Amino acid sequence: MIELAPSLLAADLLNLGKDVGNMMDQGVDLLHFDVMDAHFVPNLSFGPAFCKAIHDAYPACRLDVHLMMDNPEKYISVFAKAGAYTITLHQEPLADISGALEMIKKENVRCGLSVKPGTKAETLLPYLELLDYVLIMTVEPGFGGQKFMPEQVEKIRILREAGFKGDISVDGGVNMENAPLLAKAGANVLVMGTAYFKAEDPARVARMVKELA
């Protein structure tokens, strides 16, 4: 099944409760929660208190927490306690990747690893047995609304050909034009920001993603 993970960055933050409620009414119960520190990426976003507030208000909403930050291992426990369903770390700033992934597993949270466009898919291969989830960035992380990089699709194929059976998510410029290509390559979670929240009919987008399966 192909899952849609709307990105909170593109939501109307003044009406977030309504947006999340509408999303769940449409059968979309996976929310992509970007955490940015203005160091690893040039932007600031949300913290664990906000994550907990969403989890408390909508406990059925699975929070896909994406830590785009230096020293992400320092925040694993706090986001696990805040209600994260998946915690995804970026490979690039980690000195001890295996150790950080084991920290996530000890919190009984799904374990994810992400790579930026300039990082080769092959660098993920030594860690596949530890992972529930891989997040492929198809734009440079930090800001929403960027243009999709089609050359990143090959990373999905490399991971599936290597035997990875977990979730492969794609984040960055994903829309209904490139979604079929991503699904065909082997992605099964599509992170959408503006393509979902700014659509004339977000419910229709949610239905179309499900129909890709």
Side-chain angles (χ1 to χ4, degrees), residues 115-119 121 136 152-159:
V115 289
K116 299 198 292 185
T119 303
I136 302 297
Q152 300 300 315
V153 176
E154 183 62 21
K155 292 179 180 177
I156 304 169
R157 299 191 182 100
I158 289 170
L159 293 172

Side-chain angles (χ1 to χ4, degrees), residues 69-92:
M69 57 195 312
D70 291 332
N71 303 309
E73 64 277 13
K74 294 181 179 180
Y75 295 87
I76 290 170
S77 180
V78 69
F79 275 101
K81 290 179 173 60
Y85 173 73
T86 299
I87 294 178
T88 299
L89 312 179
H90 262 272
Q91 177 176 321
E92 293 87 0

Side-chain angles (χ1 to χ4, degrees), residues 21-198:
N22 289 339
M23 181 185 83
M24 297 189 70
D25 288 343
Q26 296 158 12
V28 179
D29 61 357
L30 183 65
L31 179 63
H32 190 75
F33 190 93
D34 284 312
V35 181
M36 299 185 284
D37 66 352
H39 292 280
F40 179 65
V41 295
N43 200 359
L44 282 167
S45 63
F46 315 115
F50 195 20
C51 179
K52 184 177 186 301
I54 296 173
H55 176 70
D56 288 349
Y58 296 96
C61 181
R62 293 176 292 147
L63 289 165
D64 173 23
V65 175
H66 178 196
L67 300 184
M68 292 185 281
M69 57 195 312
D70 291 332
N71 303 309
E73 64 277 13
K74 294 181 179 180
Y75 295 87
I76 290 170
S77 180
V78 69
F79 275 101
K81 290 179 173 60
Y85 173 73
T86 299
I87 294 178
T88 299
L89 312 179
H90 262 272
Q91 177 176 321
E92 293 87 0
L94 288 170
D96 180 5
I97 295 172
S98 296
L101 298 178
E102 291 290 355
M103 288 174 66
I104 299 175
K105 288 186 172 295
K106 288 179 181 178
E107 296 288 348
N108 294 314
V109 174
R110 296 177 76 245
C111 179
L113 195 60
S114 181
V115 289
K116 299 198 292 185
T119 303
K120 293 183 178 180
E122 287 81 1
T123 63
L124 292 164
L125 300 184
Y127 310 105
L128 294 186
E129 291 187 0
L130 293 173
L131 296 173
D132 302 300
Y133 190 89
V134 171
L135 175 59
I136 302 297
M137 295 298 301
T138 46
V139 300
E140 287 295 334
F143 293 94
Q146 297 184 65
K147 187 176 180 180
F148 175 79
M149 298 178 180
E151 64 272 18
Q152 300 300 315
V153 176
E154 183 62 21
K155 292 179 180 177
I156 304 169
R157 299 191 182 100
I158 289 170
L159 293 172
R160 290 305 187 202
E161 289 173 1
F164 183 60
K165 303 297 185 184
D167 290 329
I168 297 181
S169 178
V170 182
D171 182 6
V174 178
N175 55 40
M176 288 314 304
E177 293 182 6
N178 52 48
L181 172 68
L182 296 169
K184 183 177 181 180
N188 65 302
V189 179
L190 303 181
V191 178
M192 287 190 186
T194 55
Y196 173 76
F197 282 111
K198 308 305 181 186

